[in-house]
Every structure is written in structure tokens, then in C-alpha cells.
Amino acid sequence: MPPGWLTSNGSDSKRPRALPTPKAAANMQTFTPDTSIASDVIASPNYGERNLGRAPDMILLHYTGMPDAEGALARLCTAGSEVSAHYIVLEDGRIVQCVPESKRAWHAGISSWAGEEDINSCSIGIEIVNRGHDWGYPDFPLRQIAAVIALCRGIMLRRNVPGHRVLGHSDVAPSRKKDPGEKFPWHSLANSGVGHWVQPAPIVRGDSIMPGAISDGVRHMQAAFAKYGYGVPVTGKYDAATMDVVTAFQRHFRPAHIDGIADHSTLTTLHALLTSLPAGSAAAAR
């Protein structure tokens, strides 16, 4: 299949059609891809230098959240859009690199993790073509997930990225983002050595910490989320920001039921993750 041919809907029964290079990217100087599994390079003008020469040690996964791959690629590769990513993974499993890994792509926005606020400087951003919650949120095709796994495994080896720093956009920006969302198969990635995962604790009836509560229990819960890496103030009040963090955590680590309520399953899963962090990890150290 020649370069630039992509499926727009991920269906094996559809013939692929040509995806034109965005006009803004047509005159961009190309570069050698960082991985041999990238089938195309379509250079984006939207990037810069990593702050203070920060070496990336995080992988941040997104969904494109747009109706089709063509529109997503155009937005990520058009000057003035102020957004980009290092990679785009298409529904058919093809991988397009848009920004060299050594450069700072603009994918995270206002975000934080484990005390760091310039997530763009410390991460490699991967956009996964999926219409997202606003456009029906379809399942992720198996061949697309296989490509994401292969891409992440290579980055983890090249950049020495620990599993607990393979994260979703919603983890680092819980009040703004939902992606890659509750349908994303984090467990499948973990089974292939990508990411940090424990079996979610069963959902059972029992005591929960409810939004609006003010207590030492809330303070301990916030401290546990902050220890894992989430950007939540430890105030003892279960406010809207705390509920956003609980919701983001559930989307990633306990996707069977997402309601922002800190039930027994959510808290037990959180503590299991903390216990299984490598000794001396950045998240645990903070």
C-alpha cells in the first residue's frame, strides 16, 4: 500500500482511500522517523524545544476526538492550530510520525503529574484515531491497539519510560479531558508490558466517601491520589476538582463504573496500585 493511504473508518470491508498531506505540512522539511514501524512521516510545524533540555520519560495517550482521521491529521499538522503530537495511530494500525521524539510537541495543554506542570516537555504524545465521546465513541480496533502497544514498547525501551508513566490525557488533565476514555483497553496494554495496572477491586456495597464531604478521610484519600501522581490539592474537602480526579482514575483503572464517588472498589484499587509501584518511583517519592 503506498504512503498516504489510510482507512477513514477502520472497517476491513472498505477500500482505503488516499489521505492528502495537509497544505501546511507539504512544505515542511521531513525527518527520519524514530521508529521503523512508522509507515509515514507527515511533519507538523507545531513543536518547539523541550524546556531545559528535559528528556522525555512519559508517554501520554490521547484520542483524536474528531469525526475522521483526515480532519485530525489536518488539525495536528496545520500551523496556527497550536496542537500537535509525536505520533498518530490510525484505525487500520498504521502509524504516522509528525514530530521528532527529541522535540516538544503540543498535546497536553494545561496539565500536571507528580508535581510537574510542563507535561509537554517530559512526554511523548500519541494520538489514537477515535471519534471520542462527542461523536459516538466507538470501540478501538484490535489492530490499532496492537500498533499502540508496539509503538509504546519501542518508546519505553528507547526512552527508559517506566510503566507507571504511561498515562492518559485525562490523568494529567482530569478537569478538562476524558481521553482516551473508559473503552481504552489499558489491561491489554499491561498484559503486553505497557503501563501500570492491577485487577480492579470488585464493586460491592459498602461505605463510600461522597462528594461534598469534609473529613480526615477525604484528606487521606487526596494524599493517596497525589502520591500516585494526580494533581489534587490535599484540603480535606471533597470538592469538584477532587471528584474530577476520582472520575479520571475510574476511567483508567476501574472503568466498569464511572461516577466520581470514592467507593470501596475505587479506593482499594488505588491502594493496590500504590503498593505495586516500583520502589523509589517518581510518583511514590512525591
Side-chain angles (χ1 to χ4, degrees), residues 9 12 74 105-106 109 114 123 166 206 224 272:
N9 59 11
D12 292 334
W106 304 340
S123 66
V166 180

Side-chain angles (χ1 to χ4, degrees), residues 85-158:
H86 295 90
Y87 296 98
I88 302 173
V89 181
L90 303 154
E91 296 111 313
D92 64 0
R94 300 189 75 203
I95 297 168
V96 179
Q97 186 166 4
C98 300
V99 175
E101 289 181 7
S102 61
K103 302 300 182 181
R104 180 182 183 272
W106 304 340
H107 58 98
I110 299 172
S111 51
S112 68
W113 188 259
E116 290 190 270
E117 295 186 347
D118 185 0
I119 299 302
N120 283 335
S121 282
C122 69
S123 66
I124 291 173
I126 300 174
E127 289 278 359
I128 304 163
V129 173
N130 184 288
R131 296 194 298 274
H133 290 82
D134 292 340
W135 298 93
Y137 195 29
D139 292 335
F140 295 87
L142 291 178
R143 64 174 58 186
Q144 185 181 44
I145 294 303
V148 171
I149 289 171
L151 178 59
C152 287
R153 283 175 63 91
I155 295 170
M156 291 174 74
L157 288 171
R158 284 194 301 279

Side-chain angles (χ1 to χ4, degrees), residues 6-15 68-70 91 131 141:
L6 314 170
T7 56
S8 61
N9 59 11
S11 172
D12 292 334
S13 64
K14 302 284 187 178
R15 291 185 62 188
D68 54 50
E70 292 89 343
E91 296 111 313
R131 296 194 298 274

